[in-house]
Amino acid sequence: LMTLDSLQKCVFSYNSNCQEKMSDYISAIIELSALVVRRQYRLHHHIDFIYYLSADGRRFRQACDTVHRFTTEVIQKRRWALCQQGAEAWLKGKQGKTLDFIDVLLLARDEDGKELSDEDIRAEADTFMFEGHDTTSSGLSWVLFNLAKYPEYQEKCREEIQEVMKSRELEELEWDDLTQLPFTTMCIKESLRQFPPVTLVSRRCTEDIKLPDGRIIPKGIICLVSIYG
């Protein structure tokens, strides 16, 4: 819930306060995450036609609609404000505030100068929320677990952070301050190395890959790469 709360601020500049009170949007994301995993373990649910006739499939569609509705509404309101004010005035009004993920995507242009559609932005924002919350909370949990196992390292991290935060409030912490936390960064990276939140990734070969023993993985084949392994 903490990572979902933080991500909603980063993506939408939205204070959900979901750690105190659940919203339909947050409930839908949590439900969708569980349904996606459950579907992987039910072979007959891999066929879309069968899946969407099932109770899980119907719940999946409803939760998707809830998430899409929320994201679309935020994007359309923000795009309307951008069109009304013009990019320059809109950015000026943002001075002193950090651009969120939706802002960045609304201002993005491809190599031909074409902007992203509402659907493109929604897909990016939804991916960010789904892929971001579970992996971040898992990574944080393992970091805290590992620091609890090694109190001497935990103490070293604490001292390093206290040195950076000396006579400052937590709200005053800047992005550049993170470069002054080399030991804490090493602990986080080592924890991620031992316990990667994403245990495997899939990649489609864009060309033939020759293995050391001479065998070939043909172009177009999807490979699963074990990060944990």
Side-chain angles (χ1 to χ4, degrees):
L1 289 175
M2 188 201 80
T3 56
L4 277 168
D5 209 5
S6 302
L7 275 174
Q8 277 208 279
K9 287 175 186 140
C10 296
V11 177
F12 303 116
S13 293
Y14 183 79
N15 290 316
S16 71
N17 297 319
C18 66
Q19 293 178 80
E20 280 89 39
K21 189 184 173 194
M22 272 291 201
S23 68
D24 291 344
Y25 176 77
I26 296 293
S27 299
I29 283 187
I30 292 169
E31 184 170 35
L32 285 170
S33 302
L35 288 169
V36 165
V37 173
R38 195 154 68 200
R39 187 179 183 184
Q40 290 173 3
Y41 291 98
R42 296 178 176 176
L43 200 59
H44 61 293
H45 279 180
H46 286 216
I47 301 160
D48 283 351
F49 174 71
I50 295 173
Y51 183 65
Y52 289 117
L53 287 175
S54 72
D56 273 12
R58 290 196 297 275
R59 282 170 62 201
F60 185 87
R61 276 211 158 120
Q62 285 168 354
C64 265
D65 287 344
T66 302
V67 169
H68 288 165
R69 232 183 356 258
F70 176 85
T71 313
T72 302
E73 197 177 315
V74 173
I75 294 165
Q76 287 176 349
K77 277 183 181 172
R78 204 75 65 82
R79 195 186 285 282
W80 183 83
L82 178 60
C83 291
Q84 290 291 307
Q85 297 172 34
E88 208 172 308
W90 190 66
L91 277 171
K92 215 172 184 181
K94 290 264 176 186
Q95 277 180 357
K97 295 178 191 170
T98 308
L99 291 180
D100 64 26
F101 193 52
I102 298 291
D103 293 334
V104 172
L105 293 173
L106 278 169
L107 295 168
R109 298 288 180 273
D110 66 14
E111 55 275 14
D112 302 319
K114 194 180 170 195
E115 62 184 24
L116 294 170
S117 68
D118 286 1
E119 205 170 303
D120 292 334
I121 294 172
R122 192 183 74 190
E124 294 291 340
D126 288 347
T127 302
F128 203 90
M129 288 298 299
F130 278 91
E131 297 299 323
H133 86 273
D134 222 15
T135 48
T136 308
S137 58
S138 172
L140 283 169
S141 299
W142 281 113
V143 170
L144 295 171
F145 171 79
N146 285 318
L147 286 173
K149 265 173 69 180
Y150 300 100
E152 67 276 22
Y153 295 154
Q154 186 182 140
E155 190 52 41
K156 210 170 166 184
C157 288
R158 184 181 284 111
E159 286 168 7
E160 188 177 65
I161 292 164
Q162 284 175 339
E163 182 58 34
V164 171
M165 294 304 298
K166 205 158 51 184
S167 71
R168 293 163 70 190
E169 293 297 320
L170 192 60
E171 290 76 21
E172 294 172 39
L173 193 66
E174 298 286 340
W175 181 261
D176 292 341
D177 291 328
L178 299 179
T179 58
Q180 297 175 55
L181 302 170
F183 187 78
T184 306
T185 302
M186 283 193 285
C187 288
I188 293 168
K189 287 183 175 178
E190 177 61 5
S191 183
L192 290 171
R193 184 188 72 79
Q194 289 188 62
F195 303 99
V198 179
T199 53
L200 53 85
V201 294
S202 61
R203 292 289 183 270
R204 188 189 297 275
C205 297
T206 55
E207 56 188 62
D208 288 355
I209 307 289
K210 191 173 182 181
L211 298 176
D213 64 1
R215 285 183 294 176
I216 302 285
I217 302 174
K219 178 183 175 179
I221 291 289
I222 295 173
C223 298
L224 286 179
V225 184
S226 170
I227 303 294
Y228 186 76

